[in-house]
Amino acid sequence: MTGIQGSTPALSSLSAEQVVALPLETLARSVVGDLMRPGGSTPNISGWLHRVRRDYRQLKDPEALGAISEAVAWLRLRMIIVDDLRPKSEGDWVMLSRQGAQWLRGGPLPLDATG
């Protein structure tokens, strides 16, 4: 039932109403936890987004999809998730950045691109 750090809820356990009500940083932790599943391969963000859209459309709540969109943008802006340019990662593959990994372990929040 919990995601990263034991206190962040797993995205899959949240109702659409809970997704909308979560503070953005908490939702972002849930999103990155779902996207970067332990033991999983490098995630393809397009494939992940397709699954999330399908799941939340069934709940008929566009606000939840909007909140998840904000969380993904927030993660990218702070460079917590970045494009994966490593060999064998073509297309829309992403990875957790070094500062993102530190943030997930309870480190300071990375600054946004404007400083």
Side-chain angles (χ1 to χ4, degrees):
M1 185 84 171
T2 60
I4 296 168
Q5 290 188 338
S7 62
T8 302
L11 187 62
S12 61
S13 72
L14 298 171
S15 68
E17 294 80 18
Q18 290 170 314
V19 166
V20 172
L22 279 177
L24 184 55
E25 185 176 349
T26 304
L27 179 57
R29 285 181 183 274
S30 294
V31 164
V32 81
D34 191 66
L35 182 60
M36 307 289 177
R37 292 181 182 194
S41 60
T42 302
N44 177 295
I45 195 136
S46 294
W48 178 83
L49 287 171
H50 177 74
R51 180 180 55 82
V52 168
R53 283 184 185 118
R54 182 194 64 227
D55 292 349
Y56 281 93
R57 279 186 186 140
Q58 290 174 353
L59 298 175
K60 298 186 181 352
D61 195 326
E63 283 186 84
L65 288 172
I68 292 169
S69 296
E70 290 174 17
V72 171
W74 188 93
L75 289 164
R76 284 187 178 272
L77 177 67
R78 284 164 178 75
M79 292 178 51
I80 292 169
I81 58 171
V82 296
D83 292 336
D84 188 348
L85 302 177
R86 297 176 294 189
K88 298 183 182 180
S89 294
E90 294 184 25
D92 223 1
W93 301 97
V94 294
M95 60 185 256
L96 188 63
S97 70
R98 293 173 291 173
Q99 69 181 9
Q102 181 181 9
W103 172 69
L104 288 176
R105 289 190 302 269
L109 179 64
L111 297 175
D112 65 29
T114 62

